[in-house]
Amino acid sequence: MKQKIFPYDFAPYYPAGIQPCPMYIDVANRIYEKIKDLYIALPEADELKKEIAVNAAIYYEDKVSGIGLWNAFVGQHMRAYLRPLPFFDNPYESDDDDVDAQEVELLVWLVISRNFDDRFLNPLAMGEDAATLIMDVLTEDDEVDINEDLYGFIYNIDTANDYFKLKHVLIWLRRSYLLCSPLSEEKMEQLMDRYSTHFNKRESTYYAETAFIMTSEIGPMALLPHLWLAEMYKNNRMMEEAKKLRKLEYCQQDAFKVAETVGRYAILKDTTGEEYKLEIIHPEMFRKGEYVSTALVKYGNNGWEMNGAMFKTSRKTYDGICKRKEELNDSYEHAYPIYMERTGGKRLAFFENTSQLTEWLEKVAPELDTEEIIDQLPSGSQVSFISEKAGIIFAPHIIHVIKCEYNPFYRKCDASTLQTETINTVVNIGMVHPELLHYLLENEMLQDGDLSSHNPNRLGNMIFTLNIDFIARNHRRHHYYDHDF
């Protein structure tokens, strides 16, 4: 067997300085040899097969080494949906330390779907064949290697009780085999661009990583890194450490006024008026009346501490942010009830064309520049949504799929259009805003999706609808939530 997978193929999934056990590189090569002739009708299929092989090998290492990433996913899915795995309806019982065919089948789908986050691929279409071949390899070895370095990196008690040591574990989770995603890397690149204008590369990376773990949900359940780690600690019987992680508090990067200094402590007031007490570390920065920009963290029994970049700012900047937030809050409070009154309490409206939308806007929002709004929207059908905090949100080309008693276009299309609109609504981050998506999910207005676009049937529809929230989480990651306001 010619080696096709090497240690460097594993490196992106591991913390710096930690490598997989050599056994698992061999396992990945044996898996690839088994699955290389599988037909996958997707671009760069051979690279996908290598990625599947590497991820399946790391899953094996995760299980036998007690790393706990996969088991954390099972626990979080059970907590959210009262069943251990999505899509499967037959009984599932697996020992935490044993590999499982259903888990492998799901893993194959997770690896493929994160590379095609703008489309939905049937999780039951080819995964079973791949899982059978992969399980042949994973059940061959009587003796297995334990990755003690990786286990110690995650579960060291000293690390678990010091946030600034623990931060390195939280940072790594973004790159781990189960939780990584191109969407997360895009977010990381955006943060790097933001900080690189002020700091050198090493500082920018650290500050960007710090901001990421505070603000960006990861993994197929779209959870913040510390919540994944809390589940891992709980499963590893580190109950106190798990409890501290669940109670972890962040204050995002903001401008602060040093409102008061009392002995060793300073009282910082953020741009919403919230106050934070923290120990003075940089006396020259924390004089009463000074203004700073930083982020804060509160972990365990510690008080608030600085977390990431800190630099001086000005009163003008601070006052400007305060004013902007006040204006936004005022507009949110006033716009929503006004629009709801004008629409007779209906949050949704449906239009076949822009002329219908224009007529509606002139009645509901006469104070807006209708022509400017229409120019910014794609042509064709539109759904409008009265947001509780963002005025009016628009979504194109999904009018047929929303099951609403006052939607005259519901299901008035062919099956292909119905499936396309459903998938776009659930997974397309550029088409449907998170607030609108959550409204549709919570009110069970998306009932017509199917596992297969080629052979839709009642069972496929039932499985898709049962798992629709998970599908949205897995495909959207941090875009599952409304971070705009």
Side-chain angles (χ1 to χ4, degrees):
M1 180 183 69
K2 186 176 181 180
Q3 185 171 0
K4 294 287 187 178
I5 296 172
F6 301 89
Y8 60 74
D9 294 307
F10 282 73
Y13 302 103
Y14 286 78
I18 297 179
Q19 297 179 343
C21 300
M23 167 190 170
Y24 299 103
I25 298 169
D26 176 64
V27 167
N29 278 282
R30 283 187 278 148
I31 290 172
Y32 174 74
E33 188 69 21
K34 284 270 192 179
I35 68 173
K36 67 180 183 180
D37 294 326
L38 276 179
Y39 177 67
I40 300 179
L42 292 169
E44 300 182 6
D46 191 60
E47 289 304 309
L48 270 178
K49 292 171 189 175
K50 289 180 181 178
E51 189 176 345
I52 289 168
V54 170
N55 278 259
I58 302 175
Y59 158 80
Y60 188 25
E61 182 185 54
D62 174 4
K63 282 285 194 166
V64 301
S65 298
I67 302 305
L69 254 177
W70 185 272
N71 294 336
F73 165 64
V74 172
Q76 295 286 11
H77 191 277
M78 176 67 81
R79 183 174 293 111
Y81 305 114
L82 303 181
R83 55 190 189 280
L85 294 180
F87 305 122
F88 300 102
D89 59 353
N90 50 314
Y92 162 88
E93 293 182 7
S94 175
D95 188 283
D96 287 349
D97 299 329
D98 290 340
V99 294
D100 178 87
Q102 285 188 0
E103 292 182 347
V104 171
E105 187 174 350
L106 179 60
L107 176 62
V108 171
W109 180 79
L110 291 172
V111 172
I112 294 175
S113 66
R114 74 188 180 209
N115 285 284
F116 299 91
D117 55 77
D118 62 342
R119 57 199 284 192
F120 177 74
L121 303 167
N122 187 345
L124 307 181
M126 56 78 64
E128 186 174 2
D129 292 338
T132 300
L133 296 172
I134 292 169
M135 285 296 292
D136 287 344
V137 176
L138 300 188
T139 53
E140 282 178 349
D141 300 299
D142 293 327
E143 296 184 7
V144 295
D145 292 338
I146 305 299
N147 195 329
E148 295 179 357
D149 290 340
L150 182 56
Y151 182 91
F153 171 77
I154 298 168
Y155 294 107
N156 180 282
I157 291 294
D158 182 52
T159 296
N161 287 286
D162 183 333
Y163 172 78
F164 293 96
K165 293 178 181 178
L166 191 65
K167 184 190 286 190
H168 297 288
V169 182
L170 299 174
I171 287 171
W172 160 70
L173 285 173
R174 186 193 92 244
R175 297 186 290 104
S176 63
Y177 82 101
L178 181 60
L179 309 184
C180 66
S181 164
L183 287 175
S184 295
E185 295 313 303
E186 288 177 16
K187 176 68 178 290
M188 185 62 190
E189 289 174 9
Q190 293 168 4
L191 291 169
M192 281 293 293
D193 289 343
R194 180 192 304 174
Y195 286 102
S196 62
T197 58
H198 302 286
F199 304 98
N200 63 39
K201 184 176 181 180
R202 182 179 178 182
E203 291 172 329
S204 297
T205 300
Y206 178 73
Y207 295 146
E209 294 278 18
T210 297
F212 184 96
I213 63 176
M214 290 194 294
T215 61
S216 304
E217 294 81 6
I218 59 174
M221 292 298 295
L223 298 170
L224 288 169
H226 69 274
L227 296 177
W228 285 106
L229 190 57
E231 186 73 16
M232 294 166 71
Y233 279 2
K234 178 183 75 68
N235 293 341
N236 202 51
R237 298 182 177 85
M238 296 169 63
M239 299 304 182
E240 285 302 314
E241 290 76 12
K243 183 178 179 181
K244 285 199 292 186
L245 274 168
R246 288 199 184 92
K247 291 184 175 181
L248 175 66
E249 294 182 68
Y250 288 124
C251 175
Q252 313 299 341
Q253 191 86 27
D254 197 3
F256 295 85
K257 176 183 179 179
V258 183
E260 191 63 74
T261 57
V262 183
R264 297 185 298 117
Y265 297 92
I267 307 298
L268 302 187
K269 181 182 290 188
D270 71 12
T271 52
T272 67
E274 190 78 19
E275 292 188 348
Y276 303 84
K277 180 181 178 180
L278 66 160
E279 190 172 357
I280 296 174
I281 299 176
H282 302 284
E284 73 281 4
M285 301 284 280
F286 290 106
R287 298 190 182 98
K288 183 177 179 179
E290 294 287 338
Y291 295 86
V292 298
S293 178
T294 190
L296 304 174
V297 63
K298 189 176 183 181
Y299 182 61
N301 295 323
N302 297 335
W304 286 101
E305 300 176 89
M306 287 185 300
N307 186 32
M310 185 190 73
F311 48 88
K312 283 191 174 183
T313 188
S314 65
R315 177 175 180 173
K316 180 180 179 181
T317 298
Y318 176 84
D319 289 345
I321 298 174
C322 290
K323 182 179 179 181
R324 175 60 178 156
K325 287 185 176 180
E326 288 174 2
E327 290 173 346
L328 284 173
N329 286 333
D330 288 343
S331 67
Y332 301 158
E333 290 177 4
H334 289 90
Y336 179 72
I338 289 173
Y339 289 151
M340 288 296 286
E341 182 180 354
R342 291 172 180 171
T343 62
K346 296 178 180 178
R347 295 189 70 181
L348 294 167
F350 308 90
F351 312 101
E352 276 189 302
N353 51 57
T354 53
S355 62
Q356 292 177 358
L357 174 59
T358 300
E359 184 179 344
W360 180 84
L361 280 172
E362 289 173 350
K363 294 178 180 178
V364 174
E367 65 278 1
L368 299 180
D369 187 336
T370 302
E371 289 186 8
E372 182 180 356
I373 293 174
I374 296 299
D375 288 344
Q376 294 175 3
L377 296 175
S379 60
S381 63
Q382 293 282 344
V383 172
S384 70
F385 173 66
I386 307 300
S387 166
E388 291 185 349
K389 56 183 181 177
I392 302 173
I393 291 172
F394 301 96
H397 313 311
I398 61 168
I399 61 172
H400 303 100
V401 78
I402 297 176
K403 186 179 181 181
C404 174
E405 61 182 2
Y406 53 88
N407 179 7
F409 309 108
Y410 176 57
R411 302 196 74 178
K412 292 184 178 177
C413 62
D414 57 39
S416 175
T417 299
L418 201 62
Q419 175 73 354
T420 298
E421 290 191 9
T422 301
I423 299 305
N424 282 334
T425 303
V426 177
V427 310
N428 193 318
I429 60 177
M431 185 173 288
V432 176
H433 188 275
E435 188 186 355
L436 171 55
L437 173 65
H438 281 257
Y439 180 80
L440 298 177
L441 292 176
E442 290 164 7
N443 290 280
E444 300 182 347
M445 292 182 172
L446 299 172
Q447 298 290 311
D448 296 283
D450 201 285
L451 291 183
S452 172
S453 58
H454 303 295
N455 184 32
N457 57 72
R458 185 174 179 180
L459 179 60
N461 167 252
M462 182 188 72
I463 296 173
F464 183 93
T465 304
L466 182 65
N467 293 279
I468 192 169
D469 184 71
F470 170 75
I471 294 167
R473 287 175 180 267
N474 177 64
H475 280 72
R476 287 174 171 256
R477 306 291 165 117
H478 58 279
H479 295 292
Y480 175 78
Y481 301 93
D482 179 8
H483 292 293
D484 293 342
F485 301 95

